């Protein structure tokens, strides 16, 4: 025989909890809701002396609060969405009453967040006075809250804290902008450098689209030459990870970006000079025979 203490929790009353009350885990997932202690209130506590297993204990509690209500019980019968918390030998476990049987929900026992949408009078390290919530945002599954000063209100900059009240951003004057979201994700380690690089590539792609140019898909995130090329290419549609078109830094001069062209043109000039020299040699060989005759004919007196 062992002694087990238990607590019975049910969803709070109020219109804002309507989607949670009597909803199975499947329905909660559909409504994108979590099983958290903040949405529940304790309606009863009791003790059992039993030799049954945990599953049998839960079934006996279910039967008791449906068919054999204690005299001091003032709530509805144990039903779907209710939580039974068992305390045995210093170990606590939470069990959700689902459509069929019970499902353990350890998240129910996690400490309640220090900050929510109704928070007021919050003290934050590094900032004087107290703060209250004026907005929130969820980033990568974590909640962040924008706080306004209780005394000075909108005359001073807002701050942003996490659900535990830890400061993550300050000097917020224009709400939670996309830039602020990105900085929070980076600061909290919720976005990788790879993801950041992909965002940069998306921005490059958008520039191409805005200018009506085709975008050549390449792995620009790991191609440092392509990144350098992006700063020197004159024609954006030639970005391919090789600096092989005219540079913006030296307009009209392709030798910087076409070293192979320089080699080829030098070779071409050499062959042309050789041909010229050969032609001159041929002409020079002919001139001694022809030039004196021409001069003699020109300077000789007429027979007439």
């Amino acid at each position: 025989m062992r002694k087990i203490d238990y607590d019975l929790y049910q969803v709070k009353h109020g219109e804002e909890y309507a989607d949670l009350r009597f909803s199975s885990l499947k329905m909660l997932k559909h409504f994108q809701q979590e099983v958290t202690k903040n949405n529940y209130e304790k309606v009863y506590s009791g003790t059992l002396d039993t030799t049954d297993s945990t599953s049998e204990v839960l079934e006996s509690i279910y039967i008791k609060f449906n068919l054999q209500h204690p005299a001091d019980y003032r709530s509805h019968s144990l039903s779907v969405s209710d939580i039974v918390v068992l305390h045995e030998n210093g170990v606590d476990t939470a069990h959700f009453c689902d459509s069929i049987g019970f499902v353990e929900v350890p998240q129910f026992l996690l400490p309640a967040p220090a900050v929510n949408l109704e928070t007021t009078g919050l003290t934050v390290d590094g900032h004087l006075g107290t703060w209250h919530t004026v907005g929130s945002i969820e980033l990568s599954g974590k909640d962040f809250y924008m706080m306004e000063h209780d005394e000075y209100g909108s005359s001073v900059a807002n701050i942003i804290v996490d659900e535990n009240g830890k400061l993550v951003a300050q000097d917020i004057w224009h709400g939670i902008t996309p830039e602020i979201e990105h900085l929070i994700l980076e600061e909290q380690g919720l976005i990788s450098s790879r993801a950041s690089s992909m965002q940069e590539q998306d921005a490059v792609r958008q520039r191409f689209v805005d200018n009506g140019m085709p975008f050549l898909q390449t792995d620009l995130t790991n191609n440092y030459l392509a990144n350098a090329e992006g700063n020197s290419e004159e024609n954006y549609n030639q970005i391919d990870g090789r600096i092989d078109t005219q540079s913006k830094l030296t307009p009209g001069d392709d030798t910087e970006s076409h070293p192979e062209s320089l080699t080829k043109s030098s070779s071409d000039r050499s062959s042309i000079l050789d041909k010229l020299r050969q032609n001159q040699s041929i002409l020079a060989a002919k001139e001694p025979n022809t030039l004196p005759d021409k001069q003699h004919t020109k300077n000789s007196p007429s027979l007439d």
Side-chain angles (χ1 to χ4, degrees):
M1 188 72 65
R2 68 184 193 277
K3 180 180 179 180
I4 298 179
D5 295 325
Y6 64 89
D7 297 319
L8 178 60
Y9 290 83
Q10 292 177 342
V11 175
K12 293 178 180 178
H13 294 280
E15 187 64 29
E16 63 270 32
Y17 303 106
D19 290 340
L20 306 179
R21 193 176 300 110
F22 307 118
S23 292
S24 65
L25 288 175
K26 183 177 181 179
M27 288 298 298
L28 290 179
K29 185 177 180 180
H30 173 75
F31 291 126
Q32 297 183 340
Q33 297 288 344
E34 300 287 340
V35 180
T36 61
K37 200 170 185 177
N38 279 349
N39 298 327
Y40 285 79
E41 59 184 352
K42 185 164 63 174
V43 297
Y44 196 80
S45 295
T47 302
L48 287 176
D49 292 321
T50 182
T51 58
D52 294 338
S53 64
T54 299
S55 60
E56 291 172 334
V57 168
L58 291 170
E59 288 300 325
S60 65
I61 291 175
Y62 181 83
I63 293 173
K64 180 176 183 177
F65 286 90
N66 272 274
L67 303 178
Q68 304 166 0
H69 289 184
D72 56 348
Y73 184 63
R74 297 291 182 268
S75 191
H76 64 74
S77 296
L78 181 57
S79 184
V80 174
S81 79
D82 293 351
I83 302 284
V84 177
V85 177
L86 302 180
H87 310 279
E88 183 179 8
N89 297 327
V91 177
D92 301 333
T93 56
H95 306 268
F96 182 93
C97 184
D98 208 358
S99 300
I100 300 177
F102 286 85
V103 178
E104 188 170 356
V105 284
Q107 67 269 28
F108 184 83
L109 299 175
L110 295 176
V115 184
N116 55 45
L117 291 174
E118 300 175 358
T119 297
T120 59
L122 179 71
T123 57
V124 180
D125 291 342
H127 289 269
L128 299 175
T130 57
W131 303 77
H132 62 272
T133 305
V134 292
S136 69
I137 188 171
E138 181 180 336
L139 299 173
S140 294
K142 294 186 65 176
D143 292 323
F144 298 91
Y145 300 88
M146 187 166 67
M147 313 298 292
E148 185 178 77
H149 200 275
D150 284 341
E151 181 178 356
Y152 298 108
S154 59
S155 63
V156 299
N158 294 332
I159 61 175
I160 298 176
V161 300
D162 62 14
E163 60 184 10
N164 297 316
K166 180 181 177 181
L167 181 71
V168 297
Q170 57 188 355
D171 297 328
I172 307 299
W173 288 101
H174 305 291
I176 306 176
T177 64
E179 291 78 14
I180 296 298
E181 293 179 19
H182 185 80
L183 290 175
I184 292 175
L185 287 169
E186 284 189 334
E187 192 274 339
Q188 295 291 305
L190 300 175
I191 184 173
S192 65
S193 58
R194 172 70 176 179
S196 179
S197 297
M198 291 303 295
Q199 288 186 353
E200 293 175 3
Q201 181 168 330
D202 288 341
V204 172
R205 183 185 295 106
Q206 189 59 47
R207 287 207 306 273
F208 279 59
V209 174
D210 293 342
N211 287 278
M213 300 176 181
F215 179 79
L216 179 61
Q217 181 65 41
T218 58
D219 187 7
L220 301 182
T221 59
N222 292 323
N223 189 333
Y224 298 102
L225 184 57
N227 292 334
E229 181 188 18
N231 293 321
S232 62
E233 287 289 4
E234 188 175 59
N235 299 320
Y236 285 117
N237 61 349
Q238 295 298 321
I239 293 180
D240 54 6
R242 297 186 303 113
I243 301 181
D244 56 5
T245 59
Q246 182 170 304
S247 171
K248 293 187 295 184
L249 303 177
T250 55
D253 181 4
D254 288 345
T255 57
E256 180 178 319
S257 58
H258 282 82
E260 70 279 5
S261 299
L262 177 61
T263 302
K264 181 179 179 182
S265 61
S266 298
S267 175
D268 290 345
R269 286 199 297 269
S270 298
S271 62
I272 292 173
L273 289 175
D274 290 342
K275 292 179 180 179
L276 288 175
R277 292 193 185 98
Q278 291 176 3
N279 291 336
Q280 289 175 352
S281 299
I282 295 173
L283 291 174
K286 292 181 178 180
E287 283 178 357
N289 297 326
T290 59
L291 186 58
D293 293 339
K294 291 180 180 179
Q295 290 179 345
H296 175 75
T297 303
K298 180 179 180 180
N299 297 328
S300 60
S302 173
L303 294 177
D304 297 336

